[in-house]
């Protein structure tokens, strides 16, 4: 049996274990997921290390010894937890792991029990066939990615960095799936975006203070007014266009492949290209600028009482290399009457675009799909790549999927009726195995 022949059953079984992460309210099922696959790995001859950062918050690490010990190791990581699912909104039970209509259905089918299944299928196929990779491979199955990683990758990096000794690069979530786009000449081109960078998450709580008083009286020291004035300046600010090297490479390669006659070195040219990018647009548009989005606003508790304080929360996203400068601009816009407290100080990261690791990923994709165009991109959000990068590990987003010959596409990540085409899942497992055997 091949990795592809295992992966559908493994994915369905993993989905059937509810490992919902409720954020501050806790999580369930991560230990149960580990208890499902760890015996399979041990029976196959592997020696997985199971580490609980807290009761039931399981992380599993497996090191596979390569045939060429002089080569540096590669980390392959994925998370065991999933976001909540409201069963009443779904057309299928979200934790049944149903295989029907050419799809595997359920919460985690695309985020990211599909990749976990591909990792396990590769390991089990190697054990059956007596295959060893060229270099050491460290497989990390981690908890808590869907919250803040403090019970997962963050904890492993802080408490058990020795598990990643000799690792020179990593692959994980957020890239490697096919995206079809129609060109002006009527032809369709297939792209595979691969994440080489992630915007930073500089989430903050901001607070203004003033003099409390009666709502009927004049008050020039109103905390709500101080806060709203700062937030208005921030909301009105347009962050400048700043394509990173990865984003510029994405723009140039995509426009060249599609035959678009636009100059993506200019803002007008970039806007024109975005209008023709179709399903590629979400991969590049958020990474063109830093962003600040007001998400929470709190002040007062009674109509006729001026409160002594007002607060807000802001989702701040930085581009690689901009973190400190961006925070300085945020402070200037908010003004001296508003103070900030960082809720998350997860800085932007970027891996080398010109590297043997990225080149190997691109070769693997083209070998599986000769018509493919591989594009580097900067993720709008973040993954466990950020904590692993603190160990000096360049991280690439490559959790591959194959195309579906019937045109089915994955759907519903973090939403309703999450599902992945069987063909995409099997193709991804084949691609992952090929990469790990040749890289």
């Amino acid at each position: 049996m091949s990795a592809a022949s295992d992966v559908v059953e493994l994915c369905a079984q993993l989905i059937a274990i509810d490992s919902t992460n409720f954020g501050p309210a806790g999580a369930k099922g991560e230990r149960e997921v580990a208890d499902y696959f760890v015996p399979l790995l041990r029976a196959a001859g592997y020696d997985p290390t199971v580490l609980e950062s807290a009761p039931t918050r399981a992380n599993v690490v497996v090191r596979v010894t390569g045939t060429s010990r002089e080569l540096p190791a590669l980390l392959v990581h994925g998370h065991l937890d999933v976001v909540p699912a409201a069963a009443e909104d779904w057309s299928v039970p979200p934790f049944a792991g149903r295989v029907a209509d050419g799809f595997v259905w359920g919460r985690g089918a695309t985020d990211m029990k599909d990749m976990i299944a591909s990792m396990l299928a590769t390991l089990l196929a190697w054990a059956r066939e007596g295959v060893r990779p060229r270099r050491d491979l460290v497989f990390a199955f981690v908890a808590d990615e869907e919250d803040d990683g403090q019970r997962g990758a963050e904890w492993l990096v802080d408490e058990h960095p020795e598990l990643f000794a000799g690792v020179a690069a990593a692959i994980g979530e957020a890239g490697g799936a096919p995206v079809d786009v129609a060109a002006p000449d009527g032809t369709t081109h297939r792209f595979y975006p691969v994440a080489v960078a992630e915007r930073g998450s500089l989430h903050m709580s901001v607070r203004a203070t003033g003099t409390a008083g009666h709502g009927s009286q004049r008050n020039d020291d109103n905390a709500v007014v101080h806060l709203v004035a700062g937030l208005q300046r921030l909301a009105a600010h347009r962050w400048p266009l700043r394509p990173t090297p990865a984003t510029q490479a994405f723009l140039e390669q995509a426009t060249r492949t599609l035959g678009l006659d636009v100059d993506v070195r200019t803002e007008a040219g970039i806007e024109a290209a975005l209008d023709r990018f179709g399903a590629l647009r979400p991969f590049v548009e958020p990474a063109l600028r830093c962003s600040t989005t007001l998400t929470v606003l709190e002040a007062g508790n009674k109509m006729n009482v001026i409160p002594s304080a007002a607060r807000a929360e802001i989702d701040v996203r930085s581009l690689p290399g901009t973190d400190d400068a961006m925070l300085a601009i945020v402070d200037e816009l908010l003004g001296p009457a508003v103070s900030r407290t960082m809720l998350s100080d997860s800085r932007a990261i970027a891996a080398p675009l010109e590297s043997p690791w990225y080149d190997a990923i691109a070769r693997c994709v083209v070998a599986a799909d000769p018509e493919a165009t591989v594009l580097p991109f900067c993720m709008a959000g973040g993954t466990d790549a950020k904590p692993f990068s603190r160990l000096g590990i360049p991280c690439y987003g490559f959790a591959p999927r194959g195309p579906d010959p019937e045109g089915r596409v994955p759907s519903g990540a973090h939403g309703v009726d999450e599902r992945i085409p069987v063909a995409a899942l099997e193709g991804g497992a084949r691609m992952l195995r090929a990469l790990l055997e040749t890289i």
Side-chain angles (χ1 to χ4, degrees):
M1 293 173 66
S2 67
S5 63
D6 284 348
V7 73
V8 173
E9 176 64 18
L10 285 166
C11 187
Q13 292 294 329
L14 291 166
I15 290 169
I17 304 170
D18 180 355
S19 55
T20 299
N21 190 333
F22 298 100
K28 64 178 179 180
E30 291 158 332
R31 180 70 202 214
E32 285 79 2
V33 176
D35 287 342
Y36 163 69
F37 70 80
V38 165
L40 299 177
L41 294 177
R42 288 182 175 147
Y46 297 105
D47 185 23
T49 299
V50 182
L51 298 158
E52 284 194 339
S53 55
T56 76
R57 308 306 298 271
N59 299 273
V60 182
V61 180
V62 184
R63 183 179 282 262
V64 180
T65 303
T67 57
S68 300
R69 300 311 305 278
E70 70 277 7
L71 295 176
L74 175 72
L75 168 64
V76 187
H77 61 93
H79 61 85
L80 305 179
D81 58 328
V82 299
V83 298
E88 63 273 16
D89 296 333
W90 287 53
S91 63
V92 299
F95 296 105
R98 179 176 297 177
V99 181
D101 304 319
F103 291 94
V104 181
W105 298 73
R107 176 59 83 223
T110 62
D111 186 13
M112 63 176 306
K113 288 181 176 177
D114 55 332
M115 176 63 167
I116 296 295
S118 291
M119 293 160 65
L120 292 171
T122 297
L123 287 166
L124 296 175
W126 283 348
R128 285 193 303 269
E129 300 166 22
V131 174
R132 287 177 61 193
R134 295 174 61 237
R135 66 181 72 245
D136 279 15
L137 298 175
V138 178
F139 289 77
F141 306 85
V142 305
D144 202 30
E145 192 275 344
E146 295 292 4
D147 188 21
D148 58 11
Q150 294 299 319
R151 300 297 187 183
E154 293 275 359
W155 181 80
L156 285 173
V157 166
D158 290 341
E159 302 296 328
H160 296 280
E162 72 281 356
L163 294 172
F164 309 102
V167 170
I171 62 169
E173 190 173 12
V179 179
D180 289 344
V181 179
D185 64 3
T187 59
T188 297
H189 297 267
R190 181 168 295 138
F191 297 91
Y192 287 78
V194 172
V196 301
E198 294 183 1
R199 291 203 301 174
S201 299
L202 308 179
H203 299 160
M204 62 182 65
S205 173
V206 296
R207 187 172 186 266
T209 58
T211 302
H214 199 288
S216 68
Q217 301 297 314
R218 173 174 173 158
N219 188 330
D220 294 329
D221 187 31
N222 187 321
V224 178
V225 173
H226 296 329
L227 180 64
V228 169
L231 295 176
Q232 175 58 35
R233 289 190 295 270
L234 187 65
H237 181 71
R238 181 164 173 79
W239 293 96
L241 191 75
R242 185 170 176 167
T244 64
T247 301
Q248 193 62 43
F250 181 109
L251 291 166
E252 292 175 1
Q253 293 178 34
T255 53
R256 184 168 56 248
T257 301
L258 292 170
L260 302 180
D261 185 18
V262 296
D263 183 358
V264 290
R265 295 168 299 179
T266 68
E267 185 162 355
I270 291 173
E271 291 296 336
L274 291 176
D275 289 340
R276 303 302 300 268
F277 275 176
L280 277 182
R281 183 170 186 154
F283 287 90
V284 65
E285 188 170 29
L288 291 169
R289 306 174 190 269
C290 300
S291 65
T292 46
T293 306
L294 175 65
T295 54
V296 175
L297 186 61
E298 296 175 348
N301 53 28
K302 197 170 187 298
M303 172 71 74
N304 62 349
V305 177
I306 299 172
S308 61
R311 67 175 293 274
E313 293 181 7
I314 308 170
D315 185 325
V316 179
R317 304 287 175 154
S318 58
L319 292 172
T322 70
D323 304 271
D324 291 331
M326 185 184 187
L327 289 175
I329 294 171
V330 168
D331 288 341
E332 180 181 351
L333 292 168
L334 289 173
V338 181
S339 62
R340 66 171 165 87
T341 301
M342 299 304 296
L343 302 177
S344 171
D345 195 0
S346 186
R347 301 296 174 108
I349 60 171
L353 179 54
E354 296 183 0
S355 80
W357 307 104
Y358 181 81
D359 291 344
I361 291 170
R363 286 196 302 271
C364 173
V365 172
V366 173
D369 187 347
E371 301 302 316
T373 298
V374 180
L375 297 174
F377 80 103
C378 175
M379 267 199 72
T383 71
D384 283 330
K386 285 193 174 74
F388 288 125
S389 71
R390 297 207 320 264
L391 296 175
I393 300 172
C395 296
Y396 297 89
F398 185 66
R401 299 173 191 153
D404 182 280
E406 302 299 322
R408 303 179 186 91
V409 295
S411 179
H414 285 217
V416 174
D417 285 348
E418 186 175 352
R419 58 197 182 274
I420 185 170
V422 168
L425 183 59
E426 292 176 335
R430 286 191 293 269
M431 209 181 299
L432 180 67
R433 176 175 178 174
L435 174 69
L436 299 183
E437 289 178 358
T438 58
I439 196 168

